[in-house]
Amino acid sequence: MSTKHAMLPLLSALLLFSACEPSVKLTASWTDNQAFRSKFSKILVMSIGKDLAKRKLGEDAVCKELRGYGYNAATSLDEMGPDFAERTDSAGMQRALLDKGFDGVVTIRVLSVTEHDRWVPGGAYYGPVGFYRGFYGYYYRVWGYYSDPGYTIFDVQVLLESNLYETLTGRLLWSGQSKAFSRDPTRAMAARYARNIVGDMMEKKVLSRIQIPGEMTAPSN
């Protein structure tokens, strides 16, 4: 078997691994273009749900991303405790946030989860059968197709919603929807999700980078 043919199973395995690797992407976003833009002094990141481990993963990632842009950000689990996101007293929630100096809130919640099986067909390549590739054997041997077997994968699609609110007025300034392709997010997925949503807020100029004391500014051209 030639080196080229010998490497095909390895390449197929690598492609299979990369195709099955969970990912997350921002699919849509909305911005209130009429809202007054203000520089938030302190932002709370609040994930809504019952799984504390997943809530912490998401809150920590978004909080870290906001801090990277110079914002004073904190998670609701650290600042308010795990039950704060379940409160139904909006006036009491607003007072609690303002008392702690939060003028902005980023919320994260799961909108839906869909699951289904999907068959991925195998591939095929052309090559000689066995080792009969010399002139004196080829005419009574056949050439054929070598194929890689197909496989079944279990697709999971999680639809996430992220919102940025102004604490004082309760006004929605930015909203985004993301698709994640795993029920069990990894730290890398959470970091990518945070980069996507915070990056979009920056791009839409809902938020802007705050210079961190001691940080060098880029020279103007």
Side-chain angles (χ1 to χ4, degrees), residues 60-91:
D60 286 349
V62 175
C63 189
K64 181 179 179 180
E65 190 70 16
L66 287 168
R67 288 173 180 170
Y69 283 96
Y71 282 90
N72 180 9
T75 68
S76 71
L77 290 175
D78 290 339
E79 290 284 325
M80 302 294 191
D83 298 329
F84 183 73
E86 299 178 8
R87 292 183 59 168
T88 57
D89 177 13
S90 58

Side-chain angles (χ1 to χ4, degrees), residues 16 116-123 147-155:
L16 173 60
H116 65 275
D117 293 332
R118 177 165 58 92
W119 171 255
V120 178
S147 63
D148 296 321
Y151 53 92
T152 300
I153 61 175
F154 187 65
D155 276 341

Side-chain angles (χ1 to χ4, degrees), residues 168-191:
L168 184 62
T169 63
R171 187 167 189 169
L172 177 64
L173 303 180
W174 178 93
S175 182
Q177 284 193 358
S178 302
K179 284 183 181 179
F181 300 92
S182 173
R183 271 185 175 274
D184 302 306
T186 63
R187 193 175 298 276
M189 286 178 64

Side-chain angles (χ1 to χ4, degrees), residues 64-178:
K64 181 179 179 180
E65 190 70 16
L66 287 168
R67 288 173 180 170
Y69 283 96
Y71 282 90
N72 180 9
T75 68
S76 71
L77 290 175
D78 290 339
E79 290 284 325
M80 302 294 191
D83 298 329
F84 183 73
E86 299 178 8
R87 292 183 59 168
T88 57
D89 177 13
S90 58
M93 179 177 282
Q94 182 192 52
R95 283 195 303 272
L97 291 171
L98 293 175
D99 287 345
K100 284 190 173 263
F102 291 107
D103 49 7
V105 179
V106 173
T107 61
I108 306 164
R109 75 183 182 104
V110 174
L111 291 178
S112 64
V113 179
T114 57
E115 301 174 328
H116 65 275
D117 293 332
R118 177 165 58 92
W119 171 255
V120 178
Y125 62 92
Y126 185 64
V129 175
F131 296 96
Y132 298 94
R133 298 173 188 160
F135 172 75
Y136 297 103
Y138 90 94
Y139 57 86
Y140 67 91
R141 293 290 176 178
V142 297
W143 288 60
Y145 284 92
Y146 296 80
S147 63
D148 296 321
Y151 53 92
T152 300
I153 61 175
F154 187 65
D155 276 341
V156 178
Q157 182 174 287
V158 181
L159 188 63
L160 298 160
E161 181 183 70
S162 321
N163 293 327
L164 172 64
Y165 294 97
E166 186 179 57
T167 304
L168 184 62
T169 63
R171 187 167 189 169
L172 177 64
L173 303 180
W174 178 93
S175 182
Q177 284 193 358
S178 302

